[in-house]
Each structure stands twice: as structure tokens, then as C-alpha cells.
Amino acid sequence: MSEIIVGIDLGTTNSEVAIVENGQVHVITDNGRKILPSVVGIDDQGDILVGETARNQYLVYPERTVKSIKRLMGQDIKVDLAGHDYAPQEISAIILKRLKAIAEQYVKQPINKAVITVPAYFSDAQRQATREAGEIAGLEVVRMINEPTAAALAYGGNQAQQKRMLVYDLGGGTFDVSVVNIEAGVVEVLSSHGDNHLGGDDFDQQIIEYILDHLSETKGVDARQHSKALARITRAAENAKFVLSDQPFAIIEEEYLLEHEGAAVHLSLELSRLDYENMIEDYINATIDAVHIALKGAKLTASDIDEIVLVGGSTRTPCIRERLFDEFGFEPHSEVDPDLCVAMGAAAQAAMISGQKVDAVLVDITPYTYGTSALGYLDGEYYPFKFVPIIHKNSALPIRKTEAFATHHDGQKTVEITVYQGEDADALNNIKIGAFLVEGLQDVEAGNIITITLALDLNGILQVSAQEKASGLEKSITIQNALSRFEYEALDTARHRVNKLFGQADTGSVVYTEPAKTEQPDVVEARKLVAKAQDLFDKTSNEDKEDMIDLIEDIHTCITEGYSDRLKETTTKLADIIYYLES
């Protein structure tokens, strides 16, 4: 019997776990519920709460409860939970650990592997953070697939006839749209677009602001200063949004919301669907704009689309169906529960990996362009940070691409390879996701050929290598975004903390070896200063920007050639400009 691999939809608002049994996808229930709210809390006794109980506690003890953690994945920050700081990976790991336990209880055996879905537009940092959350929870993440892709698998994996499908995925915190071609059981993603910070949480916030303004105008009270009242308002806003999916009006009532000047403040107001849809119109417009960008990326028009699939609970908002009908001329599909289809697709992919017979083959794409920077012309001027794409957006995964570059001056012994993610011709306007040095190049004239290879796997993890063509000298790294990555023993520490919350002893750990530090402290500080300077480019005058670029180039030369005295002098000059700009 092959090892069971579960499919998990780790959502902003809700999460689910599913498996394939006898060729059929089954979403596993917990106390009769298929959906686990993505909420984590600590109760009065210090015990961990996950799901519905944590969601209920939020109304009374918001300071001991965390929700919508997915929006913070990939960020180097901490969240407070009952007076203790946790990384977003740890909070997500608590949710995953609960889903793991739900699955184990159902199948009556340990579960150690999972396919986890992520928004198509999740960055490298966010994907790495998701993988780390799985490791902390005791799960080997055998594959990450994009949420719209998973939904397409759930809908169209067994269709024989060719169809072009548009997957519109609007969840609690993220939005994705993908154009998918389905033919002879092959699900091929043609293009994707989206926004990692657009979703039902934003819709809730509009209603919350509406309620807060109402209280300020009618009661003269600022409820933002009362955490428990704000938690109740948040829950009331969520409920109103649900009601407005089916009803033209929602009554928002909360008795004894708070006390103001010795008197109880009660909340009672009506919100119409029309007013609500006006509140969120800009967000809906942004999703429709993304739809057109995705269609353009696939080189298709609205008339080429055969089906529209709605994914995510926020798609229940009636105006979304209306807008899509206006754009395409036919009704979207929603036969599969929009809250469950992503988990179902993840389970189908998990079954394929475990060797079960499933009538679908998945071809996924990268939603981003990856490349490096080089000297070149930008807007008619010579510029040191010209972006050179190597792997283009919407390329099928896995993919491996190589480009050739040449050294700039005679006797150049070192080159720095910087990798960016984005679409802008100016590399500094894209996201820097990694860098490394290739040292010990041959002492030859300028024009020494260096090839750079980027290999992006099915999980969106990027391998980068650079090779001196003449000698074969090579160096490579795996890009796992230093801003989000737990360093060395931190994953073990996080796993221990999470296990302790669940009252469990550690059942094994992974040993992480700290990589050798080969750079001198002044070089490390210089690199930090360069990164800081690049972050300030948008706020800098052209004159200062030119000075900073000259100094940055000089710093790179000092580092590559080993001019330590000149490096200190140049670093000091750049530090002075940064100090002036920040003061």
C-alpha cells in the first residue's frame, strides 16, 4: 500500500484537507464540518485553540487570537499571541498540524506528506514560508501547486474534450485569475495574474469602517479604542457580508457593544447590498483588470473562453457574477463548492504523486519573470542595473534557461550575480531575491563569457548557477529569500514551540548546518548599505541617484578586487548620502 499524501488548502479565512479514496476525492470532516477556520488562539488555561473555537474566542479575547495569518506569510515580522511572539510560519504550522491530526484520525494512520496549495501570485518568499510552515508541522511538502490550478484539476481533470477555462479565485486575503487549457485529461495553465493583498478581508474592512463611522456620527464614540468591541464589529461585518450574498439587506445589531460616559452603547443599523457593492467597487474593478491581463498573457480574448470557474468564498458576492457575465456573456460555473474545490484539486495532485490512478495530468506555469541585472542601455542611457529576463512569466514548469554574459574589464577576477523577480526593465524596481559571487575567474581580457542558468521547479523554488565558459568554474545557490527564511536551527526551535503548544514531545528534528561565512565584516556591512541605498532610489533626486549609482559601482569594484581601504572610504560617502536622505 502506497503512503497516503493529503491535499491541503491553507486559506486566509478557512482551510481544508482532502484525500482520494477509490478514485474519488473526499474532503475530510471534523465534527461534521469540512471547513476549518484559519484562526489560532490560546485559552484561559494556556491550551491551543484552532478553528471554530478560536474564531469564537476572538470576540472575547482578540489579544489571545490570530486570524488571516496568510496575509503575513513571507514577511520578516512577528505576531503576538497571548503575550508571546510567533513568526507567521509558526501560526500557519499550528493550522497545518490541526489539519494533519484531522486526517490521521480519519485514516487511522500517521500522515507525513502533503500537497499544499498557494495563490498563483505568491512570491518566492511566501512559497518558502509555506514550505517552512509544513516542516514545522511535521509535514513533508512534496509539492506546492497554485490554487487556481488545483481548482481546474477539481473541475476539469476528467474532461476529454478541449476547453479553455478561466479560473477566478477570490479568497479571504488573495486574488488570482488563471487561464487554463484542458484537453485529453491534460490541465495546462496558460497564464496567471493576481494580487496577494486583495480579498474578502478588504470587503470586511469596508463594512467595518462603515460601522465605525456610524458609531462616531450617531453615538460620538470611537470604537477603534476598544479591542473587544472592535472584534465584535469585525465579526458583525463578516456576518453582514455573508447575508448580503443572498439578501438585499442586512441588519447589523450588537447590544451592549461598549460603555461610553457611563452609558451602554448599542449598535443597530441596516446595510443594503447596493451600498455594500458600491463600497467594494474598486476592488472588483481591480479583479476584472487582472482578468484582462491574464487573457492577454495567454494571447486570448473573452470570446475564446468556454467556461468560468469561481473559487473562494468571496466569489459568492452577487456583483462578481454579474460583472463576469457582462464581460463574457455567460454564467460562471459553481457546481463544486468554491470553498472546497482547491483542497479537492490538491488531493487529486497528491494522489497522482502517490501513484494512484487519477484522470488528469497537470502542467503549471510561473506567474513571474526571473532574471539578473547587467550593464546596458535603458531609456537611451548607459545604466548598470538593466534587467535581463531569463525565465519569462507564464512559462510552463519545470523550466531551465541559460543566458550568456561577458565580463566588463580586463583581468576581472570576480562577478556578482544578482537575481530579481519582476517585470520592470530597471532591475532595481523589481524584487531582489538573491545574490552570490563567482570568484577566481581567469586573468583574461574583457569579454570572458559567463553563463547563468536559472532552473525553476514545480514548487516554484529557484536554482541559480553561474559558470565561466572557458574554465568550467561554477558556483550555484538555491534562492529561498533571506527575508523570510528561518535560519539554521530556527526551524527546530519553531517545531519545538508548536509541539509544546499541542502538549507533544518532539518526534525528531532536522539538523541545519550554518553555511560558512567567507566575507569580511566590512564587506557584509557594505552590501547592507547598498541594499538600503537601492530602497531609497524612489525617494531620491536624479542628481543624488547618479551619485549613489557611482558609489554602488565603486563598492562592487572594491569588493570584487579586494580594495579594502577604498571600500571603507566609498562606504562612508554612501552612508553620508543615506543619512542626508533619511534626515
Side-chain angles (χ1 to χ4, degrees):
M1 180 179 176
S2 60
E3 184 176 5
I4 294 175
I5 305 175
V6 297
I8 292 176
D9 175 11
L10 183 61
T12 306
T13 307
N14 298 305
S15 297
E16 301 83 31
V17 59
I19 60 171
V20 171
E21 292 182 306
N22 302 317
Q24 298 295 314
V25 178
H26 176 74
V27 180
I28 301 172
T29 61
D30 178 38
N31 294 321
R33 298 188 182 95
K34 294 182 177 180
I35 292 173
L36 180 79
S38 301
V39 186
V40 173
I42 302 291
D43 69 10
D44 292 333
Q45 288 74 43
D47 293 330
I48 192 73
L49 302 174
V50 187
E52 195 67 36
T53 52
R55 186 171 181 264
N56 293 336
Q57 177 185 268
Y58 178 73
L59 297 174
V60 185
Y61 297 113
E63 70 280 2
R64 296 211 307 254
T65 316
V66 175
K67 59 200 286 282
S68 297
I69 194 63
K70 186 173 178 176
R71 282 198 150 186
L72 302 181
M73 291 292 277
Q75 298 184 37
D76 188 21
I77 61 174
K78 301 284 187 180
V79 296
D80 177 77
L81 178 61
H84 296 278
D85 288 339
Y86 292 89
Q89 291 97 316
E90 292 177 288
I91 302 297
S92 289
I94 292 169
I95 299 167
L96 288 172
K97 199 169 180 67
R98 178 65 190 135
L99 292 168
K100 178 177 184 286
I102 291 168
E104 288 175 335
Q105 186 175 16
Y106 178 77
V107 300
K108 302 293 190 294
Q109 68 181 77
I111 299 289
N112 300 307
K113 295 181 179 180
V115 169
I116 299 180
T117 61
V118 291
Y121 233 56
F122 247 25
S123 67
D124 193 67
Q126 292 166 310
R127 290 169 189 267
Q128 179 61 24
T130 304
R131 180 175 293 281
E132 289 166 349
E135 291 184 37
I136 295 166
L139 286 168
E140 178 189 345
V141 184
V142 296
R143 178 84 183 270
M144 284 185 286
I145 63 171
N146 295 332
E147 289 166 5
T149 308
L153 272 175
Y155 263 93
N158 58 358
Q159 294 188 18
Q161 65 197 77
Q162 184 192 10
K163 285 187 178 179
R164 290 195 179 104
M165 183 183 290
L166 183 113
V167 183
Y168 181 102
D169 183 356
L170 184 61
T174 60
F175 170 72
D176 286 312
V177 58
S178 292
V179 180
V180 179
N181 186 69
I182 298 174
E183 186 172 8
V186 176
V187 179
E188 180 183 11
V189 182
L190 303 178
S191 68
S192 287
H193 199 70
D195 189 330
N196 288 333
H197 294 280
L198 193 165
D201 285 359
D202 299 296
F203 299 178
D204 296 342
Q205 191 59 41
Q206 293 299 308
I207 302 176
I208 291 167
E209 294 297 329
Y210 176 78
I211 295 171
L212 291 171
D213 290 345
H214 170 81
L215 288 169
S216 177
E217 292 166 8
T218 61
K219 310 290 186 181
V221 61
D222 182 5
R224 292 178 178 85
Q225 308 305 316
H226 302 266
S227 61
K228 291 183 179 179
L230 191 57
R232 289 177 63 188
I233 289 169
T234 300
R235 184 68 174 268
E238 293 171 356
N239 290 336
K241 178 181 69 175
F242 297 148
V243 170
L244 291 170
S245 294
D246 300 312
Q247 304 293 330
F249 298 95
I251 304 299
I252 303 171
E253 289 184 318
E254 292 288 331
E255 291 190 352
Y256 300 100
L257 182 65
L258 54 87
E259 189 175 290
H260 180 61
E261 296 179 351
V265 174
H266 307 290
L267 170 65
S268 180
L269 79 160
E270 183 180 80
L271 176 61
S272 72
R273 182 190 289 168
L274 181 61
D275 286 341
Y276 166 60
E277 292 183 344
N278 285 336
M279 292 177 193
I280 64 172
E281 183 177 13
D282 288 344
Y283 294 117
I284 304 304
N285 288 340
T287 70
I288 298 302
D289 290 342
V291 165
H292 289 291
I293 292 171
L295 286 170
K296 185 177 180 181
K299 297 181 173 59
L300 299 173
T301 65
S303 61
D304 296 316
I305 299 300
D306 300 307
E307 291 184 3
I308 302 169
V309 170
L310 297 182
V311 182
S314 297
T315 59
R316 291 187 172 91
T317 306
C319 65
I320 290 174
R321 299 183 72 95
E322 293 166 8
R323 289 293 301 274
L324 290 170
F325 182 84
D326 291 343
E327 294 288 333
F328 292 89
F330 56 87
E331 285 282 345
H333 280 275
S334 55
E335 302 92 89
V336 182
D337 188 326
D339 285 314
L340 303 180
C341 59
V342 169
M344 293 170 70
Q349 181 64 35
M352 292 180 216
I353 293 171
S354 67
Q356 296 185 56
K357 179 172 173 48
V358 180
D359 296 329
V361 176
L362 176 63
V363 181
D364 213 342
I365 56 102
T366 168
Y368 294 105
T369 294
Y370 294 89
T372 188
S373 59
L375 295 167
Y377 285 92
L378 183 65
D379 298 329
E381 297 183 4
Y382 202 54
Y383 185 63
F385 301 107
K386 166 83 172 171
F387 182 56
V388 183
I390 297 177
I391 291 178
H392 289 269
K393 176 179 178 176
N394 294 329
S395 297
L397 296 178
I399 186 170
R400 182 182 181 90
K401 291 286 185 179
T402 301
E403 291 289 345
F405 299 82
T407 55
H408 182 247
H409 55 265
D410 295 344
Q412 186 171 337
K413 294 292 187 68
T414 307
V415 293
E416 181 174 24
I417 311 298
T418 307
V419 183
Y420 296 91
Q421 169 187 292
E423 315 300 324
D424 201 290
D426 183 344
L428 300 181
N429 290 335
N430 295 324
I431 300 172
K432 179 182 174 182
I433 60 171
F436 63 98
L437 284 175
V438 181
E439 301 173 289
L441 299 177
Q442 292 181 341
D443 186 3
V444 296
E445 296 179 353
N448 186 15
I449 299 299
I450 309 295
T451 61
I452 299 177
T453 299
L454 270 59
L456 195 61
D457 72 9
L458 292 166
N459 296 309
I461 304 300
L462 189 66
Q463 298 280 345
V464 184
S465 62
Q467 184 178 61
E468 183 179 34
K469 186 171 183 289
S471 69
L473 174 70
E474 183 174 3
K475 183 167 182 182
S476 63
I477 61 167
T478 300
I479 302 292
Q480 294 183 337
N481 205 300
L483 286 177
S484 74
R485 191 167 190 271
F486 275 46
E487 294 186 358
Y488 321 132
E489 297 88 6
L491 273 175
D492 277 346
T493 302
R495 187 183 293 108
H496 175 75
R497 275 156 53 95
V498 169
N499 283 340
K500 190 175 179 182
L501 284 171
F502 280 86
Q504 297 174 339
D506 286 325
T507 56
S509 61
V510 181
V511 177
Y512 289 85
T513 305
E514 181 172 350
K517 293 180 172 64
T518 57
E519 293 187 335
Q520 297 298 316
D522 57 341
V523 173
V524 174
E525 289 304 312
R527 292 195 190 283
K528 289 180 180 178
L529 202 64
V530 167
K532 195 171 187 180
Q534 291 172 347
D535 288 340
L536 290 170
F537 271 14
D538 290 341
K539 309 170 187 175
T540 307
S541 67
N542 288 334
E543 183 178 349
D544 285 335
K545 189 172 182 179
E546 288 177 9
D547 291 340
M548 290 166 74
I549 288 173
D550 289 341
L551 289 169
I552 289 170
E553 282 190 280
D554 200 12
I555 285 173
H556 284 153
T557 300
C558 292
I559 291 172
T560 55
E561 302 298 337
Y563 301 146
S564 57
D565 291 340
R566 197 169 107 198
L567 177 63
K568 292 177 183 176
E569 179 184 339
T570 309
T571 302
T572 301
K573 290 179 182 177
L574 184 59
D576 288 342
I577 294 178
I578 291 173
Y579 177 79
Y580 163 75
L581 292 171
E582 290 184 330
S583 61

